[in-house]
Amino acid sequence: MNKILENIFGYRGFRILIPLFDLAIIFGSYILSFYLFKDALDNFYNNYKSFWASLPFIIISYLVLNHIFELDKPKDFSFFGVGYTVVLTVGSLLFTTMAISFFIREFAFPRSILLTGTVFQIIAITFWHLFASHIYFSVNKGKSVLVIGYEKSQALAYKLMESRGMWSKIKHVCSPKYPKVYELINECDITIITEDVEETLKQEIILYCVEKGHPVLYQPKNLEILQFNANFLQIDDSPVLDVREFGLSQGSKTTKRITDVLLGVVALVVFFIPLVFIYLALKTGGGTAFYVQERMTRDNKIFKIYKFRTMVENAEAISGPVLARDVDKRITGLGHILRSTRLDEIPQIFNILVGDMSIVGPRPERPFFVEQFCKEIPEYNLRHRVKAGLTGLAQVQGKYNTSVRDKLKYDLLYINGYSLALDIKLIMQTLNILLRRNSTEGVKSVEELDDEIECLTRR
């Protein structure tokens, strides 16, 4: 039975099963709505015929939205978290279907059916995803994990155990030079290799795992990310990989700028009233409403970023530049609310409109810290090949307290894999960040690793 569940609710099976079952729920909800309103509709036959005509558009739209909001991936969220994501997805489907009905008149069907079907979809899909995610994690959380590496192995093991999510059942932690490393691989279900393992040893371990059909994951080095999406070429009879230029083409820059201006204007209209209310609240509370700070963007250009003030006045006058932490007494009561809801970022719309920032891109950092990070991480300056952004891959996939090194990997992945579709996806996924409590936490310092990890370490 466990084997059957593992095959059905494995990662690949999950990504196929979930959308198909979602589509069945969507179809069934509309059929049920038609049944409930069959006596109230003036022209039931034509309405029902229109539904079938628009069904292909609904299916395609939902599959796209399902992928954008990552409903095709297991969610270790609360009931509210899963429900919120489903509301965003199904709500977007509702507006998409209404838009189709508006532009293609013959495909229109009653709004009563649309609205009733949407309510059924939200309820049924939410409970289905809660059930499916519960089964997925109950099946996969039991898998034992081996972490192979040097200094970074215990840090990764700590992070996995602290998350209490996938791959949190650490069975062993060892060096790649441990004499019985291959015996430990056979004992565990999954092997994870940290980035500080030498290339030759890493390749040997990966080759062994591939030959044995054993799942293996590894942390990529920054320079390895630059090789992703390389183009295959042939020189005579020798295959070679063409590592493409790191950055955006002129056409992509132009498209990105047009998108920024259009969406920036829309955002200014949408957030104008909240902007005014927050400004008045901060002014009546005493002190300045806006916080102005120097940040760095494309080509190492320094600009002034605007945010609503969330800390006490002159918070760094004595301490100097410091990174925000989990517990920061400098943050005001209103500041906590603004940060948790991201409303403190609203003034950056003006930075986007004047061209200092983009909507999507690496988050801008202060020159003081950029100088430090570049000394510690030579590849750090590569993130300045594009404009700084209001949101980005690191903000969507990572956490506020994700390490600088890991955030850099996300930034490099974003730049190397840039596309307009990726930008749109990240903009929509940003709405889901509000579900994660730790997405607005500061940098968390880990002074010592848990004793349990020490017991699991093989030297």
Side-chain angles (χ1 to χ4, degrees), residues 48 51 59 96 118 130 149-150 152 186 206 257 283 367 382 389:
Y48 192 64
F51 161 69
I59 292 173
T96 302
T118 298
L130 282 169
Y150 295 110
K152 297 189 176 183
N186 293 331
I206 291 176
R257 180 60 186 151
K283 289 299 289 184
L382 289 174

Side-chain angles (χ1 to χ4, degrees), residues 107-126:
F107 286 172
F109 54 89
R111 278 176 287 183
S112 57
I113 301 296
L114 276 173
L115 295 174
T116 305
T118 298
V119 172
F120 288 151
Q121 291 161 24
I122 290 173
I123 296 172
I125 292 177
T126 296

